[in-house]
Amino acid sequence: MRLSAELKALEQRIGHNFSKPEFLVRAVTHASISSSTRQDNQRLEFLGDRVLGLVMAEALLSADQGASEGQLAPRFNALVRKECCADVAREIALGEALKLGRSEMLSGGRRKEALLGDAMEALIASVYLDAGFEVARALVLRLWGARILQVEVDARDPKTSLQEWAQARGMPPPAYVQTARSGPDHQPIFTVEVVLEDGARETAQAGSKRAAEQQAARTLLARLEQTT
């Protein structure tokens, strides 16, 4: 099988030449264009998620040999979550190589966070199947790079941290309200407000509702900790 120019360029960006190009083709094939003769990347996504998890678990244990499970778990979650995978996908311009159906292309599929994150996991699996775990491990460590060492010492989800802050003071969990949505369907902007029982609140905007909630919680928690 001969690879297209886009996939040849992707090989160069990730630093791996496939001995079995069909794995790479499958990794970049979205379900919107799959058929009986063209497999999509969903099964590879499942496998890649597990390969990524093992690589990150090993890397975090090696980076901080004195860390407890309670410290390692939030760091691990920060490094394997879809948002992080999507960030890495953007850095290697993975979206440019994706094979999408017409509807996905028209709706901006090449920029969608969930789609990019899934494709990144599928790409990891394709390298694993093509060349084995050690090569896949090297790829992940190379692409994630400084993220592993720079992951926050306390990388808990800011929503969890804010909820714990509120509960420690006898308050119910924070309330999150979507107050606005703007932009085109393929690139929406969500505005979310987080409110505590005592009236403390903060607003944030992001490309997904979840990301906006996290940013609002992060900003509010930082403000509260400065005043207590």
Side-chain angles (χ1 to χ4, degrees):
M1 176 183 290
R2 297 185 61 181
L3 292 175
S4 65
E6 290 85 357
L7 293 185
K8 280 289 187 183
L10 179 59
E11 279 190 322
Q12 293 181 351
R13 292 196 294 273
I14 67 174
H16 177 73
N17 292 318
F18 283 79
S19 59
K20 298 179 180 177
E22 59 268 23
F23 287 134
L24 177 57
V25 173
R26 184 176 169 190
V28 298
T29 301
H30 186 256
S32 62
I33 200 173
S34 64
S35 67
S36 59
T37 58
R38 177 186 289 172
Q39 291 184 308
D40 62 45
N41 62 10
Q42 291 180 327
R43 288 172 61 87
L44 288 181
E45 172 200 340
F46 173 83
L47 177 59
D49 177 62
R50 275 68 187 172
V51 175
L52 173 62
L54 178 55
V55 172
M56 284 300 134
E58 288 184 343
L60 288 171
L61 286 171
S62 176
D64 189 349
Q65 298 184 14
S68 67
E69 188 277 339
Q71 292 172 312
L72 292 170
R75 301 177 197 176
F76 174 86
N77 292 335
L79 290 168
V80 302
R81 62 169 54 116
K82 279 289 190 289
E83 292 89 344
C84 185
C85 290
D87 283 342
V88 176
R90 292 186 188 97
E91 290 180 358
I92 62 172
L94 180 55
E96 295 179 8
L98 294 182
K99 296 181 180 297
L100 307 173
R102 178 175 172 80
S103 61
E104 275 295 344
M105 286 194 290
L106 292 176
S107 64
R110 298 186 190 282
R111 298 186 299 274
K112 291 182 179 178
E113 191 161 86
L115 193 152
L116 287 172
D118 291 346
M120 188 66 238
E121 292 173 345
L123 181 62
I124 293 169
S126 71
V127 174
Y128 167 76
L129 293 173
D130 185 67
F133 178 72
E134 289 304 319
V135 175
R137 178 178 179 273
L139 173 83
V140 170
L141 295 178
R142 184 167 66 251
L143 295 182
W144 262 250
R147 287 179 176 85
I148 300 170
L149 296 177
Q150 294 174 358
V151 67
E152 296 177 10
V153 173
D154 180 2
R156 289 176 298 175
D157 186 305
K159 292 178 64 177
T160 300
S161 298
L162 181 60
Q163 179 170 322
E164 291 175 353
W165 188 96
Q167 290 178 335
R169 291 157 180 79
M171 299 183 198
Y176 294 86
V177 181
Q178 179 182 320
T179 59
R181 173 175 173 164
S182 58
D185 289 341
H186 68 275
Q187 203 168 10
I189 297 295
F190 295 88
T191 302
V192 170
E193 182 179 54
V194 58
V195 183
L196 294 180
E197 184 185 44
D198 65 358
R201 63 187 63 216
E202 193 63 59
T203 300
Q205 291 184 328
S208 71
K209 186 177 179 181
R210 181 175 183 273
E213 290 176 346
Q214 290 180 320
Q215 184 55 49
R218 184 181 295 110
T219 303
L220 179 55
L221 184 61
R223 176 159 61 85
L224 292 170
E225 289 180 337
Q226 287 178 351
T227 58
T228 57

